[in-house]
């Protein structure tokens, strides 16, 4: 049991859990001067202090504060922990050499064409043991928890052959066991074509369909299937075939769509009822229409846009058009070596003109939807798992993206336990 009292404001309250769309995205549904009761790892009760039941009042008055069961949150906010719905945080090493290459003028695609980029990470990963991959990924998991993330989706995609893709997915499976984070796993064999298939893409697509998907599904190693649908990577036809095959094994698509250009990724994602289409730097009228009529959420990854110095996705227009928007970190060694959602919030506000409330909803309740955990996470709703942030004494929630390098979190609780 844990009872938080005198909370400056309890933020992200939803009587009934629901995705935020349109104008609702700009509301944080706060209760000022609030209490929150957590029991068995779940949100049990909450409300204004003046309505706190007598039994809880007695408890608060008599409790020994050091026991940790009663937390006096005077001057501090409680909000849902971040749900980071798009990351590649299992990887074997950093790529700062390419960072310098980019500064000197090479583009992401040029680096990839020279065998760098994702192929560089794949080479390193093939030489790295599962144990070592696990240890470095757990380190990143601890890092993002320290920045307020309570749930994370993690992709494979640096294996690019059956053995190494499965190695990555087993690392993610072990993380599910050993990390307090709520984790969802995505098979991204279609991240890049291995060099040996550079002139024979079809053979690799067949390998994904006929070897990797059945093996991964039989071991229950992934919930989702993803593809980098982009010129120079996987075509719409490749993506279509891969999603079709994955869905037969119960893997729901997510898709890297429209990052470098109008790739058709959004449309193929919508066609297969993808849970999310991610990136969206190139999004126009056709994509807006396709998304508006779908159950697929648009996911922005402004950290990658920033790092690659590209044009940002038109997130303001997407929200105004009535399409729900989620936001994720895309933590990866090539286009966003950061898992900080505070920083993503700042980018969304400054570069994409989202309000702080829209940015926060995008990486809490809408992020939860984008990784299929909205029934249990993403908001302050009775019965949900208590993944919550107790902030430091900050002047407002807007302060979080405003003071974007100032640590705002005092404690993170996952399932009601401080981590
Ligand atoms: O989402 N665009 C494809 N995948 C990652 C980058 C991966 C990498 O460069 O290692 C992304 O940006």
């Amino acid at each position: 049991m844990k009872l938080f009292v005198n909370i400056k404001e309890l933020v992200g309250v939803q009587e009934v859990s629901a995705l935020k769309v349109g104008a609702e995205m700009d509301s944080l549904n706060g209760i000022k001067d609030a209490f929150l009761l957590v029991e068995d790892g779940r949100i049990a009760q909450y409300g204004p202090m003046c309505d706190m039941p007598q039994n809880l009042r007695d408890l608060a008055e008599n409790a020994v504060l050091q026991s940790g069961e009663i937390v006096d949150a005077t001057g501090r906010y409680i909000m849902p922990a971040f749900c980071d719905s798009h990351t590649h945080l299992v990887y074997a090493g950093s790529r700062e050499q390419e960072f310098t290459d980019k500064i000197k003028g090479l583009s992401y695609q040029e680096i990839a064409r020279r065998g760098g980029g994702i192929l560089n990470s794949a080479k390193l990963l093939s030489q790295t043991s599962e144990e070592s991959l696990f240890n470095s990924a757990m380190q990143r998991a601890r890092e993002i928890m320290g920045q307020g993330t309570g749930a994370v989706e993690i992709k494979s995609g640096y294996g690019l052959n059956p053995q190494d893709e499965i190695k990555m997915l087993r690392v993610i499976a072990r993380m599910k066991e050993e990390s307090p984070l709520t984790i969802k796993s995505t098979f991204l064999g279609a991240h890049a074509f291995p060099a040996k298939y550079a002139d024979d893409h079809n053979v690799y697509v067949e390998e994904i369909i006929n070897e990797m998907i059945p093996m991964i599904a039989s071991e229950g190693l992934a919930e989702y299937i993803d593809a980098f649908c982009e010129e120079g990577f996987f075509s719409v036809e490749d993506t279509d075939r891969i999603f079709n095959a994955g869905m037969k094994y119960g893997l729901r698509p997510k898709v890297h769509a429209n990052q470098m250009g109008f790739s058709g990724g959004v449309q193929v994602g919508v066609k297969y009822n993808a849970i999310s289409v991610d990136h969206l730097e190139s999004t126009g009228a056709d994509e807006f229409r396709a998304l508006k009529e779908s159950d697929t959420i648009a996911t922005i990854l402004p950290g990658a846009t920033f790092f690659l110095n590209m044009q940002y996705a038109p997130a303001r227009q997407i929200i105004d058009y009535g399409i729900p928007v989620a936001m994720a970190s895309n933590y990866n060694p090539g286009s966003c070596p950061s898992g900080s959602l505070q920083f993503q919030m700042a980018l969304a506000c400054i570069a994409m003109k989202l309000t702080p409330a829209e940015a926060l909803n995008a990486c809490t309740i809408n992020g939860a939807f984008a990784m299929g955990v909205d029934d249990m996470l993403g908001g302050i709703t009775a019965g949900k798992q208590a993944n919550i942030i107790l902030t430091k004494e900050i002047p407002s929630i807007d302060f979080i993206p405003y003071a974007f390098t100032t640590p705002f979190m005092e404690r993170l609780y996952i399932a009601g336990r401080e981590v």
Side-chain angles (χ1 to χ4, degrees), residues 373-393:
V373 295
D374 52 309
D375 58 336
M376 54 178 288
L377 295 176
I380 307 295
T381 303
K384 279 195 173 178
Q385 187 173 303
N387 282 21
I388 52 175
I389 290 172
L390 172 67
T391 69
K392 292 181 184 292
E393 288 200 24

Side-chain angles (χ1 to χ4, degrees), residues 130-140 142 171 174:
E130 196 168 312
E131 187 65 20
S132 156
L133 269 182
F134 173 76
N135 290 334
S136 62
M138 284 294 276
Q139 170 110 17
R140 289 178 204 115
R142 285 189 287 275
V171 167
R174 189 170 159 203

Side-chain angles (χ1 to χ4, degrees), residues 56-302:
L56 297 183
R57 226 170 260 285
D58 294 344
L59 208 66
E61 274 159 25
N62 301 330
V64 183
L65 285 179
Q66 287 84 332
S67 74
E69 289 205 324
I70 312 287
V71 179
D72 183 350
T74 299
R76 293 165 291 166
Y77 293 82
I78 288 188
M79 57 185 249
F82 296 128
C83 296
D84 192 349
S85 63
H86 180 137
T87 80
H88 308 249
L89 65 70
V90 174
Y91 58 84
S94 55
R95 307 213 306 256
E96 57 272 24
Q97 177 54 50
E98 293 173 9
F99 175 61
T100 311
D101 293 341
K102 281 188 211 102
I103 293 165
K104 292 189 174 159
L106 284 187
S107 71
Y108 183 85
Q109 294 97 315
E110 280 162 345
I111 291 169
R113 275 196 293 276
R114 292 172 186 209
I118 296 165
L119 294 187
N120 188 356
S121 284
K123 189 170 166 205
L124 205 55
L125 187 129
S126 71
Q127 299 157 353
T128 305
S129 71
E130 196 168 312
E131 187 65 20
S132 156
L133 269 182
F134 173 76
N135 290 334
S136 62
M138 284 294 276
Q139 170 110 17
R140 289 178 204 115
R142 285 189 287 275
E143 178 195 330
I144 62 172
M145 284 190 276
Q147 294 166 326
T149 296
V152 63
E153 179 263 14
I154 312 176
K155 301 173 197 295
S156 69
Y158 295 125
L160 309 182
N161 62 56
Q163 184 192 327
D164 289 325
E165 281 295 309
I166 284 176
K167 179 162 83 175
M168 288 189 78
L169 290 167
R170 286 195 181 133
V171 167
I172 303 170
R174 189 170 159 203
M175 291 177 79
K176 287 182 184 178
E177 301 286 316
E178 296 191 30
S179 165
L181 284 163
T182 304
I183 298 177
K184 292 285 175 186
S185 142
T186 299
F187 168 53
L188 177 59
H191 201 191
F193 285 98
K196 69 174 176 176
Y197 298 127
D199 299 320
D200 206 351
H201 286 182
N202 202 35
V203 179
Y204 185 58
V205 172
E206 294 284 333
E207 186 168 293
I208 291 175
I209 292 174
N210 299 323
E211 283 187 53
M212 297 195 211
I213 292 174
M215 278 165 78
I216 287 158
S218 76
E219 280 196 45
L221 285 172
E223 279 95 19
Y224 299 107
I225 184 160
D226 198 339
F228 187 13
C229 182
E230 205 69 57
E231 195 185 330
F233 293 86
F234 291 78
S235 67
V236 169
E237 293 69 32
D238 298 333
T239 306
D240 193 298
R241 291 178 60 205
I242 290 165
F243 284 177
N244 195 23
M247 283 187 69
K248 289 188 184 139
Y249 285 88
L251 302 175
R252 188 170 175 191
K254 287 169 87 73
V255 59
H256 284 66
N258 299 48
Q259 180 183 14
M260 312 288 172
F262 287 89
S263 65
V266 169
Q267 288 83 346
V268 71
V270 168
K271 174 177 171 188
Y272 284 99
N273 190 29
I275 190 164
S276 70
V277 290
D278 303 27
H279 272 296
L280 308 176
E281 280 81 348
S282 298
T283 301
D286 287 349
E287 286 77 14
F288 277 66
R289 272 194 296 275
L291 283 170
K292 180 84 183 203
E293 286 157 19
S294 76
D295 292 327
T296 298
I297 191 163
T299 297
I300 53 170
L301 309 167

